[in-house]
Amino acid sequence: MKFIEAKDVNVYYGDNHVLHDINLSMKENTVTAFIGPSGCGKSTFLRTLNRMNDYIDTFRLTGKLEIDGKNIYGKKVKVEELRQEVGMVFQKPNPFPKTIFENVAYGLKIQGNKDKDFIEERVEKSLKQSALWGEVKDKLHNSALSLSGGQQQRLCIARTLAVKPTIILMDEPASALDPISTAKIEELISELKASYTIVIVTHNMQQAARISDRTAFFYLGNLIEYDKTTEIFTNPKNKQTENYITGRFG
C-alpha cells in the first residue's frame, strides 16, 4: 500500500524557515490538492516528496517523510529510484526536442531497457493512459514540439507513466492551458487515480473542488487545514481557510 506520511517536517533554505511542522498523511489511489496563495510553501512541500529540493544548495529538511513506511530522506535511499517511483509533471509542458515516441520511451531507455517490443508496448500503453494515443498514433515519429500545449502536457504525463511510478506529483499542470485542455487533464487525473496516488498543487480552487478527495490549505509556510475536500469547501474549521476559500484574501 502506497501511503505518504509527513511527520513534523520543517524545511529551510539557509536561515529562511519556509515550512513549519507539517503533519499530514495521504492514502493510496486518492487525489490530494494543495491550495494557498503564491509563496505559501505548497510547491516546496510537493517537491520534498521526490527530493527535487535537493538541487538547492541551501536546502535542509528536518522531521520525517515516509512513503510506505520508508523514510525517503534516509541515508540508504537512492534518489534516482525514488524519482522513478514518484513521477512529476510540471507547470509548463516540457517535452524534449525529440519525436513523440522518443519522448515517451526516454525514461525506459535511461533505465537500460533495450527490448524494442517491450518499449513499443509501454509507449502505446502510456499514450493510451494519458488519453493521447488516438490523436498521435499515426504521428509517433513527428516532433513532440509540433503538438498543441494541451497535447504536450498529456505527452509529459505519458512520459511519466511509462516508467511505472506509483505516485504522480503535479505542479499546477493545467495553469498554462486553455479551458478545453484543462478539462481533458482533469478528466485524466480522475481516471488515473484508480492506478496511482496523485498529489496536485493548484491555484484554481474550482479545480481542487472538482478533482481532489482531500485538500490541504497552506499559508505562510504552515499547513492551516487538511481534510476531505467537501469539508474544506463547505464547512472549513479554520477562519483563515474560510477567508481564502471565499476570496477574502489570496
Side-chain angles (χ1 to χ4, degrees), residues 21 32 41 51 92 137 161 179 202 206 211-212 238:
D21 297 317
T32 302
R51 296 189 50 173
K92 288 186 179 156
K137 64 179 190 287
L161 297 177
T202 179
Q206 290 81 11
I211 63 169
S212 68
N238 189 289

Side-chain angles (χ1 to χ4, degrees), residues 25-247:
S25 56
M26 294 171 259
K27 291 181 179 172
E28 65 175 346
N29 302 119
T30 57
V31 179
T32 302
F34 294 168
I35 62 169
S38 295
C40 67
K42 53 192 188 296
S43 287
T44 296
F45 184 64
L46 186 79
R47 287 160 185 257
T48 63
L49 301 174
N50 67 346
R51 296 189 50 173
M52 285 289 284
N53 293 317
D54 289 20
Y55 292 118
I56 300 166
D57 290 343
T58 56
F59 166 74
R60 181 166 61 89
L61 179 142
T62 64
K64 255 192 182 174
L65 254 178
E66 295 179 347
I67 293 176
D68 241 5
K70 181 180 176 184
N71 180 7
I72 62 169
Y73 284 82
K75 286 181 180 162
K76 292 182 180 174
V77 170
K78 292 179 178 166
V79 177
E80 297 76 19
E81 288 176 12
L82 172 70
R83 289 189 189 139
Q84 280 173 28
E85 188 176 341
V86 186
M88 186 149 189
V89 177
F90 295 91
Q91 184 171 358
K92 288 186 179 156
N94 59 341
F96 303 133
K98 298 171 178 285
T99 67
I100 292 166
F101 183 91
E102 285 169 337
N103 263 271
V104 185
Y106 182 81
L108 297 167
K109 290 179 177 176
I110 290 286
Q111 288 176 355
N113 284 302
K114 294 194 171 110
D115 183 332
K116 205 173 163 193
D117 291 340
F118 171 78
I119 290 172
E120 282 182 9
E121 190 182 302
R122 288 292 312 146
V123 168
E124 181 175 338
K125 187 177 179 189
S126 303
L127 286 167
K128 282 177 175 170
Q129 281 183 295
S130 62
L132 193 58
W133 177 252
E135 295 163 51
V136 302
K137 64 179 190 287
D138 300 322
K139 307 175 189 170
L140 293 178
H141 300 292
N142 292 5
S143 169
L145 303 179
S146 67
L147 297 173
S148 71
Q151 288 174 321
Q152 286 185 13
Q153 192 63 305
R154 280 182 283 145
L155 179 69
C156 293
I157 292 171
R159 188 173 69 196
T160 300
L161 297 177
V163 295
K164 288 198 166 178
T166 52
I167 296 163
I168 303 172
L169 311 179
M170 296 185 166
D171 196 354
E172 296 194 60
S175 67
L177 305 180
D178 62 87
I180 291 169
S181 299
T182 297
K184 283 187 177 175
I185 296 287
E186 288 183 9
E187 198 178 310
L188 182 55
I189 289 168
S190 298
E191 288 168 12
L192 290 173
K193 83 168 178 183
S195 307
Y196 305 90
T197 301
I198 298 172
V199 189
I200 179 170
V201 165
T202 179
H203 268 110
N204 183 331
M205 282 188 283
Q206 290 81 11
Q207 183 174 78
R210 283 192 296 265
I211 63 169
S212 68
D213 300 291
R214 295 180 75 85
T215 295
F217 169 54
F218 286 84
Y219 185 60
L220 298 177
N222 294 289
L223 176 59
I224 304 298
E225 191 167 347
Y226 177 53
D227 206 338
K228 288 179 182 168
T229 296
T230 47
E231 285 293 305
I232 291 282
F233 283 94
T234 61
N235 187 30
K237 311 280 186 296
N238 189 289
K239 192 71 183 164
Q240 277 179 305
T241 311
E242 186 185 329
N243 287 344
Y244 184 71
I245 298 290
T246 55

